[in-house]
Amino acid sequence: MPETDPSAVRDRLHGTEVFARPVPVFDPERAPAEPSALFPEWLTEAVDAGVPDPHSMTLSTVDEAGDPMPAS
Protein backbone atom coordinates (compact mmCIF):
# COMPACT_ATOMS: atom_id res chain seq x y z
CA MET A 1 0.00 0.00 0.00
CA PRO A 2 1.35 3.49 -0.82
CA GLU A 3 2.57 5.73 1.99
CA THR A 4 -0.26 7.95 3.32
CA ASP A 5 1.63 9.95 5.96
CA PRO A 6 1.37 13.60 4.82
CA SER A 7 5.06 14.33 5.41
CA ALA A 8 6.09 11.24 3.40
CA VAL A 9 3.77 12.27 0.56
CA ARG A 10 5.18 15.81 0.66
CA ASP A 11 8.74 14.45 0.60
CA ARG A 12 7.91 12.25 -2.37
CA LEU A 13 6.39 15.18 -4.27
CA HIS A 14 9.36 17.43 -3.48
CA GLY A 15 11.70 14.72 -4.76
CA THR A 16 9.86 14.36 -8.08
CA GLU A 17 11.30 16.09 -11.13
CA VAL A 18 8.94 18.84 -12.27
CA PHE A 19 10.14 19.65 -15.76
CA ALA A 20 12.09 16.89 -17.50
CA ARG A 21 13.13 19.20 -20.33
CA PRO A 22 13.45 22.94 -20.92
CA VAL A 23 10.18 24.83 -20.69
CA PRO A 24 9.25 26.79 -23.85
CA VAL A 25 9.60 30.54 -23.61
CA PHE A 26 6.32 32.41 -23.17
CA ASP A 27 6.18 36.14 -23.83
CA PRO A 28 2.86 37.52 -22.55
CA GLU A 29 3.35 40.65 -24.65
CA ARG A 30 3.10 38.51 -27.80
CA ALA A 31 0.05 36.56 -26.62
CA PRO A 32 -3.19 37.04 -28.55
CA ALA A 33 -5.90 39.27 -27.10
CA GLU A 34 -8.09 36.19 -26.69
CA PRO A 35 -5.96 33.70 -24.70
CA SER A 36 -8.25 30.76 -25.46
CA ALA A 37 -6.68 30.80 -28.95
CA LEU A 38 -3.49 29.47 -27.33
CA PHE A 39 -5.04 26.23 -26.08
CA PRO A 40 -5.37 24.41 -29.45
CA GLU A 41 -1.78 25.36 -30.28
CA TRP A 42 -0.46 24.11 -26.94
CA LEU A 43 -2.54 20.93 -27.11
CA THR A 44 -1.21 20.14 -30.58
CA GLU A 45 2.37 20.75 -29.44
CA ALA A 46 1.86 18.50 -26.41
CA VAL A 47 0.34 15.66 -28.45
CA ASP A 48 3.09 15.93 -31.08
CA ALA A 49 5.75 15.86 -28.33
CA GLY A 50 4.26 12.70 -26.80
CA VAL A 51 3.32 14.35 -23.50
CA PRO A 52 1.34 11.85 -21.42
CA ASP A 53 -2.26 12.94 -20.83
CA PRO A 54 -1.92 16.23 -22.74
CA HIS A 55 -5.57 17.07 -22.09
CA SER A 56 -4.96 17.13 -18.32
CA MET A 57 -4.72 20.69 -16.99
CA THR A 58 -5.59 23.22 -14.33
CA LEU A 59 -7.26 26.44 -15.33
CA SER A 60 -6.14 29.39 -13.23
CA THR A 61 -6.84 33.07 -13.00
CA VAL A 62 -4.95 35.58 -10.89
CA ASP A 63 -6.06 37.80 -8.05
CA GLU A 64 -5.43 41.52 -7.72
CA ALA A 65 -1.84 40.83 -6.57
CA GLY A 66 -1.16 38.61 -9.59
CA ASP A 67 -1.15 35.40 -7.54
CA PRO A 68 -2.62 32.30 -9.23
CA MET A 69 -6.05 31.13 -8.17
CA PRO A 70 -6.67 27.63 -9.60
CA ALA A 71 -10.28 26.83 -10.41
CA SER A 72 -11.78 24.10 -8.27
Side-chain angles (χ1 to χ4, degrees), residues 28-70:
E29 298 297 320
R30 298 185 67 206
E34 179 53 49
S36 63
L38 293 170
F39 179 74
E41 178 182 335
W42 292 345
L43 178 62
T44 299
E45 289 175 8
V47 170
D48 291 348
V51 172
D53 302 318
H55 55 290
S56 209
M57 67 180 139
T58 299
L59 176 63
S60 296
T61 57
V62 295
D63 62 17
E64 295 80 17
D67 296 322
M69 298 176 52

